Amino acid sequence: MFFRDVIGQEEAKQRLIREAKEGKIAHARLFCGPEGIGKLPLAIAYARYLSCQNPGEDDACGHCPNCMKYNKLAHPDLHFVFPVIKIKSKDTVSDDFLAEWRELIGQTPYFNLNIWLKEMGAENQQAQIYVKESDEIIRKLNLKSSQGGYKIMIIWLPEKMNVECSNKLLKLLEEPPSQTIFLLVSEEPDMLLTTIQSRTQRFNLFGIEEKQIAQKLTQQFGILEKDAIDIAHRCEGNYLKALETIHLNEENQLFFELFVSLMRLSYQRKIREMKQWSETMASMGRERQKQFLQYCQRMIRENFISNFHNPSITYLNEEERNFSSRFAPFVNERNVIGIMDELSEAQRHIEQNVNARMVFFDFSLKMIVLLVQK
């Protein structure tokens, strides 16, 4: 991963390169921002640049022995920590899943926790950075640098560290061994202990520009420029969301049809058909049901915003826009909060394994009342 492989984030790249050239390198930096904007790729590219033996003006050389080791993420002074699932009969640490980690980054460095959980075969397990990991971090960083340069520790989603692990790292962050650099990559930095936040230099990152996402989609997938621009606009600076849009078009089409059907049936008060619709939803798996409810929340939000007649702040595809031109007036300041609350409650009930048929039928009945508040 080079700086040139990171989509957009030009200002952030130049700042990191400038600080490296000037020798103003923070010993603990906290990369912050939402998922899909390139925080992890940027951290890896920065680590490569710091380790490169012949860095250029804008990127690592790619040819020195250190860069060759970075090609496989196998440099002896580069260490990774990330959330993992429990392995029976042992204290689990990141190195137990290092092969899967390297393989996933090799496929694409743009991924989220759900994708990583699937890569680990997590099923329904929760991932965490366990206390044993802190002992491994301390052990690795107390070793002498193998190549005589920086020892770099990249911690992905440090907010997943349990409290005991976080506390054990405090002293190390405050007084790290010589030539040691921590790069923490966080989506929810406020969930970190305040004592950890205070020991790191915060580096805020924002969404990728639409033009840069569209250009990447056209180059990588051969998408028509018009379609790439439309996808880039709807993904709100999140490249991962753009990838999901490409690969989930059929799923989104199904969700769109189910959403339109529900709104029409509820408005027309066709109770029998609404019950059949609920049974269709109940036949889906829990994960798809939750994804559908998230899709509904997005559609309600976008239709409400559509009433302001400012296309630049709405994120709908062409078919959704056509429907919105007729449906948007039914989502207004009198009912939008009520609808969103009901969707949130339905999602919560699905997560709690409440009978899905009852959840969706109950929601559809409530929509009868909410939609008439025009």
Side-chain angles (χ1 to χ4, degrees):
M1 177 59 59
F2 293 86
F3 279 126
R4 60 177 173 266
D5 298 321
V6 179
I7 306 167
Q9 306 296 355
E10 296 304 324
E11 184 178 341
K13 294 177 192 176
Q14 292 307 313
R15 178 180 164 186
L16 291 172
I17 291 170
R18 182 172 63 252
E19 291 178 0
K21 289 178 179 178
E22 295 173 355
K24 298 178 181 178
I25 301 169
H27 78 272
R29 193 183 293 272
L30 179 60
F31 290 82
C32 307
E35 72 170 35
I37 63 171
K39 299 183 300 300
L40 179 60
L42 186 64
I44 297 173
Y46 180 51
R48 180 195 281 263
Y49 191 80
L50 293 176
S51 301
C52 179
Q53 294 165 304
N54 302 296
E57 283 297 311
D58 300 312
D59 219 333
C61 72
H63 305 295
C64 69
N66 283 352
C67 279
M68 299 304 290
K69 293 180 178 69
Y70 262 81
N71 289 340
K72 298 181 180 179
L73 298 179
H75 192 286
D77 294 325
L78 172 68
H79 308 285
F80 288 102
V81 169
F82 39 81
V84 294
I85 55 174
K86 276 279 189 184
I87 298 177
K88 291 182 179 179
S89 73
K90 71 171 294 183
D91 294 323
T92 315
V93 294
S94 299
D95 282 357
D96 293 318
F97 291 93
L98 190 57
E100 292 86 347
W101 175 259
R102 287 170 172 163
E103 183 177 353
L104 181 57
I105 293 178
Q107 294 168 0
T108 173
Y110 289 82
F111 58 86
N112 59 17
L113 182 59
N114 286 335
I115 294 173
W116 172 232
L117 286 170
K118 290 179 182 178
E119 188 74 15
M120 288 190 290
E123 297 179 350
N124 294 321
Q125 298 181 65
Q126 297 294 318
Q128 193 176 136
I129 299 174
Y130 297 97
V131 64
K132 178 66 176 177
E133 195 76 64
S134 59
D135 297 330
E136 284 294 296
I137 293 172
I138 293 169
R139 180 186 66 80
K140 290 174 181 177
L141 295 183
N142 278 325
L143 296 173
K144 186 177 179 180
S145 170
S146 173
Q147 306 297 308
Y150 291 110
K151 293 175 289 183
I152 301 176
M153 176 67 65
I154 297 179
I155 304 179
W156 183 63
L157 302 186
E159 56 266 31
K160 294 296 182 182
M161 286 192 291
N162 64 28
V163 175
E164 193 176 355
C165 179
S166 298
N167 284 326
K168 291 185 73 171
L169 286 182
L170 286 177
K171 184 171 178 59
L172 194 62
L173 282 169
E174 188 170 8
E175 299 177 7
S178 176
Q179 294 289 89
T180 296
I181 295 175
F182 283 94
L183 302 178
L184 283 67
V185 181
S186 174
E187 291 173 6
E188 298 178 285
D190 292 336
M191 291 184 64
L192 289 167
L193 294 180
T194 54
T195 45
I196 285 185
Q197 294 183 51
S198 66
R199 286 164 171 77
T200 59
Q201 184 181 101
R202 194 155 175 158
F203 193 80
N204 292 318
L205 294 164
F206 305 96
I208 307 168
E209 291 184 9
E210 293 179 12
K211 181 180 178 181
Q212 292 163 331
I213 291 179
Q215 185 178 21
K216 181 67 175 180
L217 293 176
T218 302
Q219 292 173 348
Q220 187 169 350
F221 299 99
I223 297 174
L224 294 175
E225 184 179 359
K226 176 180 177 295
D227 295 333
I229 291 172
D230 181 56
I231 292 171
H233 178 63
R234 286 188 282 128
C235 75
E236 302 174 88
N238 183 337
Y239 184 66
L240 183 58
K241 193 173 179 181
L243 295 179
E244 290 173 349
T245 300
I246 293 172
H247 298 304
L248 297 177
N249 274 341
E250 291 184 5
E251 187 90 322
N252 284 340
Q253 181 63 32
L254 171 62
F255 289 167
F256 171 72
E257 292 170 358
L258 287 168
F259 178 81
V260 171
S261 176
L262 171 62
M263 295 303 122
R264 287 175 175 165
L265 293 174
S266 296
Y267 183 74
Q268 296 168 2
R269 304 190 177 195
K270 293 186 175 180
I271 305 299
R272 180 179 299 176
E273 288 83 351
M274 287 162 59
K275 188 174 181 181
Q276 292 173 346
W277 179 91
S278 303
E279 290 172 353
T280 299
M281 289 302 310
S283 66
M284 296 182 176
R286 293 274 169 180
E287 286 304 314
R288 291 184 80 193
Q289 290 166 0
K290 288 191 288 186
Q291 290 168 7
F292 171 71
L293 289 169
Q294 290 171 355
Y295 176 83
C296 289
Q297 290 172 326
R298 182 179 77 83
M299 284 294 287
I300 294 299
R301 182 172 58 251
E302 295 299 330
N303 275 271
F304 176 68
I305 294 173
S306 294
N307 290 309
F308 296 99
H309 305 291
N310 186 347
S312 66
I313 60 173
T314 55
Y315 302 90
L316 299 167
N317 63 32
E318 186 173 356
E319 191 171 17
E320 291 169 340
R321 281 196 299 271
N322 291 336
F323 174 71
S324 178
S325 65
R326 301 182 299 275
F327 178 68
F330 292 90
V331 182
N332 51 67
E333 65 275 8
R334 287 178 290 279
N335 64 8
V336 64
I337 294 177
I339 296 174
M340 294 296 279
D341 285 346
E342 293 300 336
L343 282 167
S344 296
E345 184 178 14
Q347 187 169 2
R348 187 163 57 252
H349 287 162
I350 291 298
E351 291 171 350
Q352 294 170 348
N353 289 324
V354 177
N355 185 293
R357 187 179 290 104
M358 293 174 58
V359 171
F360 285 105
F361 188 49
D362 178 68
F363 173 69
S364 64
L365 291 174
K366 289 175 179 176
M367 284 302 299
I368 292 177
V369 178
L370 289 164
L371 286 177
V372 298
Q373 296 178 19
K374 184 180 176 184

